[in-house]
Amino acid sequence: MSDRAWGVGTDSPSCDPSDADTAHPAELRRLLEASTDPHSRGAVVVAGAPGIGKSTLLDQVARRVGASGGRVLRAGGSPSEADLPFAALHQLLRPVAGVITELPARQRTALQAAFGSGTPGDPPDPMLIGVAVLTLLSDLATGAPVLVLLDDAQWADHASLDVLAFVARRTGDDPVSMVIATGEPAALPDLDGHWTSLELAPLERPAAERLLDRLPRPPAGETRTRVLDQGEGNPLALVELARTAGADAEPWASGNPLPIAARLERRWVERLNGLEPAARQWLLVLALAADDPAETVLTLLPGPADRMWAAVEWAGLVDRTGSRVTFRHPLVRSAVYQSASFDERRAAHHALASALTEDPDRRAWHLAAATTGADPEVAAALEDSAGRARRRGGYAAAARALERAAELSADRADRVRLIAAATEMAVMTGQLVRVERLAARTRAWTDEPTPLAVAALQTGRLMALTSSQAAAFQQLMAAARQLTTAHPEGALQALAAAAVVRFYSGAESQRDEIGAALSDVLRALSATSVPLLGRWLMAVADPPGGAGLRAELAQLITAARQRPEELHLLAIAAWILDETGLAVRAFEASLALWSSAGPLPDGLGGVAALAHLEHGRIARAQAFCAELAAVADTYGLDHAAACAAAVDALAAAMRGDAVNARELAERALSLIDPAESRSVAVYAYRALGISAAVTGNHEDAYARFRAAFEVDGGPVHYHASVAALPELAAAAVRSGYHQQAADVVERTVRSGETHSVRTQVLIHHSQALLADPDYAETHFRAALTLSGPADRPFEHARILLDLAEWLRRRRRIAEARPLLHECHDVFRRLGARPWATRAEAELRASGAQIAAAEPAAFGELTPQQQQVVRLAALGRTNREIGENLFLSPRTVSSHLYRAFPKLGITARSQLRDVLDTAAPSDVVTSAGSRGSRPRNVAR
C-alpha cells in the first residue's frame, strides 16, 4: 500500500512544548548550558521515573539547539532493537550517512562493517569504530555545534552505548555534546566521570500547578485537587489525569501503593479493553516492531486513513501528526504488550517474522519470541544471527543470540556448545557479571568436566583483567586441573593464563602450583618434549627456569615470522627474559601481521609498552599505553587500566614530567590491591620515586623505591623489582640510607638465583653507587661491559652519567668528557630532560662546549601535545594523528595551535627544525594503526 509511508514511535504526552520550561526549568538550563556553552559542554545522563519528563526535556533542548543553528542527531532505544548491534548508533547517524564516505579509509571500513555494509572481513576493531564516530562528529561540528541525544537508553544496544561512552571521553575541543535519557541508570554500562548525572525529581506542588494551568482545559476545584494529589508530581500522570478527569468510571484511589508507572499502565489497559480486537492486535504489532517500521511491516497494518486510528487516538493511546503515528509514551507500548494474551503476542511475532524476510536478524528474534519449546530451526537462525553480530563487532548481541539459541536447542550437546560460545562472546564485552551468569548456566546444564572447565577458564581470563588476581588464579588453576585428563591442550591454555596472573601477582606459591600442574599436563599429553606454550608459561612464571628458552629465542622468532600469535608470545618471553631488543623486533613483526581477534587486550597488555620504553622508544610506549587505556576505559577493565597508567607514569617520569607521572601512578595504585598485583604496584612505585628524585626530594624517592622490596630486602616482585636497584642506591646515597640500600642489594646478590645479564648490570650499577670510592670503578666498568646500549639505552646512559660524575670528582676530566657527551646525546634523543640537564651541568663543569639543546619549550608541552607534535613532524595529517592517539581531528588541531607559539614557530613545516628526529622509530604509529590489538594470551 503506497499510502503507508508513515512512522511509529514513542513520544512524550502531547502537551505544549513549553511544558519543559515550566516542569523542569533548572534542569533545562543545565542541559542547554551543557549543549551550547563552549566552556561547559559535556555529556549528561538524565535519569528519572517513567513520565517524569525526560523526553519532553530532550525535545525542548533539541528545539533550542536547532533554532540556534546547531545540528541535532537523535535516536531512541527500543526493546525490539536491544539485541541488534549498533542499532542505536545507526539510527543516530542515518541522517548524515553521506559523511561516512568521507572518513579515512580504515575508519570508513570499520563503521560500515559495524552497520553490516561494506566488504565482509574480520570483525571491526571497536576502538576504530569509536575513532570513526569521533572523527565524523568532529567533521560535522566544523560548521555548527553538534548535539547527540539518546532517549530510552536503557533499551539501547550495548555496542552503541560503548561507542558513545568512548566518544564522550574524547570530544576535547570539539563543539560536540551528548545527552542520554534513561529510566534505568543501572542498566547502562559504566559511563565513568566523563558524564554528569542529572536526576529528575517529581514536581513540587507549585510547578505541578503551573503545568496544569498550561493545559488546554485545566481542571478546577475538587477535580484539580484530586489530580494534584494522585499525580504525585509526575508530569505524565498529571497530564493524563487532567485530560480524562471525570470521564473515567474508576478514578485512582488516594494512597494507592502501586507506583505511578503501574497505575498509568493499568489506566491505559482499561482503555485498550474498550477497543475492537483487531485494533488491539494492530497496536500489538506496532508495539513489537521497531520505532521506524520497515515497509514490509507496514503492510500488516491498516492505512493511515482507517477509522481504527481515530478510535485509538481518542482513547489517548497514540498521537497523530500528519501521516506519522506515535505512541503517547513508552508506557503505552508496555501496556499494549502486557494486556495481550500469550497467543496474541505469539501471533503478532509470527506475523512480523513472516514480513521481515529481508531482515534475518529481526526475523530470528521474532521467531524466538514466538517459540516456547525446543526448535532447532529457530536456534539455527539465532546462531546465524550471532555470527553476523560477531562479524560486525557486536559481541554482546552475539552472546545474547547464542544464549537464546541454546535455550531453544533440542540436543543437549548443542545446548552446551552454544552456551560455551555465548560465554566466549560475553568475555569480549568485558562484563564479568554476564560471563559469570553464563558460566552458571553451563553448570546447571551439564556435569561434564570439559565444558565446565572451559567456562571457568573464560571467567578466569576476564577476572585477570578486571578484578582480584588471587581469585582469577584459583579459577584458572581449577580449570587446568579439571581439563588435565580429558583435554590436556585446554589445560595448557589455562596454565598459560594462570602464568599471566602469576606475573602480575608475583606470588611465589603460584609459581610452584603452576610447575606442579604443568608436570601433570605433560604426562597427560605423553609429550616427548615440552610444547612451546609450556616453555613459554614457565618462562613467564619463573624467568630463571626459562633460561633454556632464551638461547633459542632468536631462532624461534625467525621461524615464526608469518605467525603473529606465536611471534607475540615469543616477544613477551623475550622481554621477561631480558632480551629487550629481540622483544621489540618480535612485537613489531607480530603487529604488522595481526588481524582482529576481538576487542580485549592481551593478558600481558603492558609488556609491549614496557619493552619499547626500555628500548628507548618512549613515544611508542606511550602510544601502546594510550591504546590499552582506551580499551580498558571502554570495557571497564580496572586492572588493565592500572597497568596502562603505571607504565605511562614511568614514561612520564623518564621525561621529567613529575606532575603527570605522579597522577598516573596514583591512579594505577587506586585501581589495584598492591598485595595482589605486585608488578603494577612496583612500576607505580618506581614512577613515584623517579618523580621525587628529579624534583630533589631524595628522602621520598628512597621510600618509594624501597617499597619495591620486602622488609627483609627481598623483591616485592620477582621481575619488576630488580630494575629499581640502581634508583634505590642513588636515592639512598643522597638521603642517608646508604647501609639500608646496601643490604637490599646484597640480599639480591645472595638470592641464589641465576641472574640474567641485565640483572647483573643492575647489581653492578647499584654496587658502584654504594661502594667505597676505591672499589666503585670496578663495578662501573663491569656494568658497562655487560650493558647493551642498543637494547636499553636509558639504563646504559645512566651508568655512563654516574661513572662520568665519579670520574670528574676525581679530576679525571679527560676520561669523563666522552662519557658525558655520549650519555647527553642519548638523554636528549629520548627526551629525558632531568638527566640531560645533569649531563649538561657536568659537561660545563668539565669545560666542554655543549651543542644547542632541544627547545626548552618542547618539554613544557603536555605529554599528549608532545605526541601530537612528534607525529606532525613526521608529516602525519590531523586525521592520521587522531586515529593513532584516539583523538578527534579538531582536538589534534587544537594541540598544534597551542604548541606552535610555545615552540616559536608558525608553520607545520618548521616542526622538523625544532625537534630532534634522530630516532624516528620512537614516533611511529600506535599499535592500533598497524594491526588490531593482540588477543588474550592463549585464548
Side-chain angles (χ1 to χ4, degrees):
M1 297 175 62
S2 60
D3 62 343
R4 287 197 170 101
W6 48 301
V8 177
T10 57
D11 288 340
S12 300
S14 54
C15 308
D16 186 284
S18 61
D19 284 346
D21 292 291
T22 305
H24 298 287
E27 289 81 357
L28 176 61
R29 285 194 297 272
R30 285 184 61 186
L31 287 182
L32 288 172
E33 180 179 290
S35 305
T36 59
D37 187 337
H39 303 292
S40 304
R41 281 196 186 95
V44 183
V45 174
V46 180
I52 204 68
K54 301 183 297 294
S55 298
T56 304
L57 199 57
L58 263 58
D59 288 341
Q60 187 70 4
V61 173
R63 190 173 291 107
R64 295 282 190 89
V65 171
S68 64
R71 182 190 290 269
V72 179
L73 301 177
R74 187 167 184 175
S78 169
S80 62
E81 296 191 332
D83 292 311
L84 299 177
F86 302 106
L89 186 65
H90 185 265
Q91 188 185 157
L92 275 172
L93 300 183
R94 187 165 48 195
V96 292
V99 183
I100 296 176
T101 61
E102 301 172 12
L103 291 172
R106 295 181 67 248
Q107 297 178 33
R108 180 178 67 249
T109 300
L111 194 53
Q112 288 174 337
F115 293 159
S117 58
T119 305
D122 291 322
D125 184 342
M127 295 297 100
L128 197 54
I129 296 171
V131 171
V133 176
L134 182 63
T135 302
L136 186 150
L137 294 176
S138 181
D139 288 348
L140 288 174
T142 300
V146 173
L147 171 62
V148 176
L149 297 177
L150 178 62
D151 205 354
D152 293 321
Q154 71 274 14
W155 294 321
D157 64 280
H158 189 279
S160 294
L161 290 173
D162 281 343
V163 171
L164 294 180
F166 175 95
V167 171
R169 297 184 187 103
R170 293 167 178 82
T171 48
D173 295 307
D174 293 278
V176 175
S177 51
M178 291 187 192
V179 178
I180 285 180
T182 178
E184 300 173 27
L188 302 183
D190 182 16
L191 297 177
D192 66 41
H194 293 272
W195 295 78
T196 300
S197 179
L198 184 61
E199 182 82 21
L200 297 189
L203 303 182
E204 298 290 341
R205 191 80 167 199
E209 295 265 16
R210 289 194 297 272
L211 176 60
L212 293 181
D213 288 339
R214 300 184 73 86
L215 295 177
R217 292 185 295 277
E222 184 180 346
T223 300
R224 183 184 184 92
T225 301
R226 188 172 68 250
V227 167
L228 289 167
D229 288 343
Q230 297 175 10
E232 297 179 5
N234 183 290
L236 178 61
L238 291 166
V239 171
E240 284 298 310
L241 283 168
R243 183 175 182 274
T244 58
D248 289 337
E250 298 181 11
W252 294 350
S254 299
N256 194 314
L258 291 176
I260 288 288
R263 283 183 273 164
L264 282 167
E265 284 194 32
R266 189 175 66 180
R267 192 178 189 84
W268 281 315
V269 167
E270 292 170 355
R271 298 179 198 169
L272 280 165
N273 291 337
L275 298 176
E276 297 177 3
R280 292 199 301 269
Q281 191 66 15
W282 288 331
L283 286 176
L284 181 59
V285 168
L286 288 179
L288 296 176
D291 284 349
D292 190 8
E295 186 70 23
T296 51
V297 173
L298 296 177
T299 62
L300 303 174
L301 307 173
D306 192 283
R307 64 182 181 84
M308 181 273 289
W309 296 117
V312 296
E313 185 179 20
W314 182 85
L317 302 172
V318 301
D319 287 324
R320 290 199 294 174
T321 305
S323 60
R324 181 174 174 80
V325 178
T326 58
F327 284 112
R328 298 196 64 228
H329 190 273
L331 288 176
V332 178
R333 182 199 291 267
S334 177
V336 169
Y337 182 80
Q338 296 299 334
S339 66
S341 68
F342 172 76
D343 287 339
E344 289 171 332
R345 295 177 197 169
R346 188 178 185 187
H349 280 298
H350 272 304
L352 286 164
S354 299
L356 292 169
T357 54
E358 301 299 318
D359 191 338
D361 294 324
R362 285 186 173 85
R363 180 176 185 275
W365 277 108
H366 282 299
L367 288 173
T371 303
T372 53
D375 191 321
E377 291 186 7
V378 177
L382 285 168
E383 187 172 5
D384 289 343
S385 180
R388 287 186 291 272
R390 184 191 64 81
R391 288 190 292 275
R392 294 168 60 183
Y395 298 101
R400 180 69 191 98
L402 288 165
E403 181 182 11
R404 182 64 178 134
E407 293 168 350
L408 296 177
S409 180
D411 182 75
R412 181 172 176 272
D414 266 351
R415 187 183 308 128
V416 173
R417 174 184 64 82
L418 289 166
I419 203 68
T423 307
E424 184 175 3
M425 288 296 101
V427 168
M428 302 290 192
T429 69
Q431 292 188 323
L432 183 59
V433 172
R434 182 186 297 223
V435 174
E436 289 177 329
R437 181 179 61 78
L438 290 171
R441 298 203 74 173
T442 303
R443 292 192 295 272
W445 284 350
T446 183
D447 56 3
E448 295 179 14
T450 298
L452 290 175
V454 170
L457 172 57
Q458 299 285 9
T459 306
R461 281 174 173 155
L462 187 54
M463 289 174 70
L465 293 170
T466 57
S467 59
S468 165
Q469 298 299 293
F473 183 81
Q474 293 306 317
Q475 182 91 0
L476 291 166
M477 290 305 299
R481 286 189 287 270
Q482 289 175 328
L483 289 167
T484 295
T485 302
H487 187 23
E489 293 83 2
L492 200 60
Q493 298 278 330
L495 288 179
V500 171
V501 176
R502 147 69 176 164
F503 178 83
Y504 284 124
S505 74
E508 292 304 304
S509 61
Q510 293 180 357
R511 175 194 61 187
D512 300 336
E513 196 171 343
I514 289 171
L518 180 60
S519 298
D520 294 339
V521 171
L522 294 177
R523 281 194 294 272
L525 285 169
S526 301
T528 55
S529 61
V530 181
L532 177 60
L533 186 58
R535 299 173 70 193
W536 177 87
L537 69 89
M538 282 313 299
V540 171
D542 182 23
L549 181 61
R550 181 188 289 114
E552 300 177 50
L553 279 171
Q555 181 180 351
L556 290 169
I557 288 171
T558 300
R561 60 183 177 274
Q562 295 302 319
R563 298 190 295 275
E565 284 188 78
E566 192 172 322
L567 276 171
H568 187 74
L569 287 174
L570 292 168
I572 292 172
W575 178 77
I576 288 176
L577 296 173
D578 291 328
E579 298 292 334
T580 305
L582 195 58
V584 167
R585 291 192 290 276
F587 276 126
E588 294 298 324
S590 70
L591 289 169
L593 297 170
W594 213 291
S595 61
S596 179
L600 297 194
D602 159 44
L604 287 172
V607 167
L610 285 162
H612 283 78
L613 187 63
E614 289 179 4
H615 201 54
R617 299 182 173 186
I618 302 179
R620 180 73 159 132
Q622 289 178 311
F624 276 107
C625 290
E627 179 156 3
L628 179 57
V631 177
D633 286 345
T634 297
Y635 292 95
L637 311 176
D638 282 354
H639 194 268
C643 185
V647 179
D648 208 5
L650 270 176
M654 285 173 61
R655 283 188 158 155
D657 185 359
V659 173
N660 193 45
R662 281 194 294 268
E663 290 177 355
L664 287 165
E666 287 165 0
R667 168 170 164 73
L669 291 172
S670 73
L671 292 171
I672 61 165
D673 179 348
E676 286 202 356
S677 189
R678 294 177 177 89
S679 61
V680 175
V682 169
Y683 301 140
Y685 295 151
R686 283 188 61 207
L688 290 170
I690 295 171
S691 300
V694 300
T695 55
N697 190 346
H698 299 294
E699 182 130 357
D700 183 48
Y702 173 80
R704 299 294 191 174
F705 295 133
R706 186 61 180 81
F709 300 90
E710 303 284 4
V711 174
D712 66 357
V716 164
H717 187 270
Y718 63 94
H719 186 272
S721 291
V722 69
L725 281 175
E727 297 160 344
L728 175 75
V733 169
R734 292 171 172 82
S735 59
Y737 293 97
H738 186 286
Q739 187 56 53
Q740 291 89 332
D743 291 343
V744 173
V745 175
E746 183 60 24
R747 170 71 168 73
T748 305
V749 173
R750 291 187 289 101
S751 65
E753 296 180 349
T754 302
H755 297 306
S756 69
V757 172
R758 186 207 181 189
T759 301
Q760 294 176 52
V761 170
L762 294 167
I763 290 173
H764 279 301
H765 188 187
S766 306
Q767 290 173 323
L769 292 168
L770 296 167
D772 291 337
D774 293 340
Y775 300 100
E777 186 171 6
T778 300
H779 289 296
F780 274 129
R781 298 296 181 186
L784 283 177
T785 299
L786 295 170
S787 177
D791 267 10
R792 286 175 288 276
F794 182 70
E795 286 183 8
H796 185 80
R798 288 177 68 176
I799 301 170
L800 291 173
L801 177 59
D802 288 336
L803 174 57
E805 288 177 335
W806 184 87
L807 289 169
R808 194 187 65 78
R809 286 195 298 271
R810 277 144 193 81
R811 301 184 185 280
R812 294 164 62 177
I813 294 174
E815 295 175 69
R817 277 181 189 156
L819 303 182
L820 288 169
H821 280 296
E822 183 180 349
C823 70
H824 181 246
D825 289 344
V826 173
F827 292 139
R828 281 189 56 195
R829 175 170 60 83
L830 298 180
R833 289 185 295 130
W835 290 270
T837 300
R838 272 178 58 190
E840 289 169 10
E842 290 291 326
L843 282 166
R844 290 191 187 94
S846 70
Q849 296 294 317
I850 306 172
E854 182 177 340
F858 182 78
E860 301 305 317
L861 302 180
T862 68
Q864 195 164 80
Q865 286 172 345
Q866 290 179 7
Q867 288 182 288
V868 168
V869 166
R870 287 177 181 272
L871 288 168
L874 291 180
R876 306 292 162 79
T877 67
N878 287 2
R879 287 189 170 196
E880 290 171 337
I881 296 170
E883 185 173 305
N884 293 338
L885 302 180
F886 306 105
L887 302 171
S888 75
R890 184 188 297 269
T891 299
V892 171
S893 177
S894 295
H895 280 319
L896 291 172
Y897 178 80
R898 296 185 180 106
F900 277 22
K902 295 179 183 178
L903 297 174
I905 61 175
T906 57
R908 210 177 182 109
S909 59
Q910 296 173 281
L911 287 172
R912 285 183 177 273
D913 297 330
V914 297
L915 293 181
D916 181 1
T917 55
S921 60
D922 185 36
V923 285
V924 294
T925 59
S926 74
S929 66
R930 298 184 54 188
S932 294
R933 277 174 307 285
R935 67 185 73 188
N936 253 336
V937 167
R939 182 179 290 165

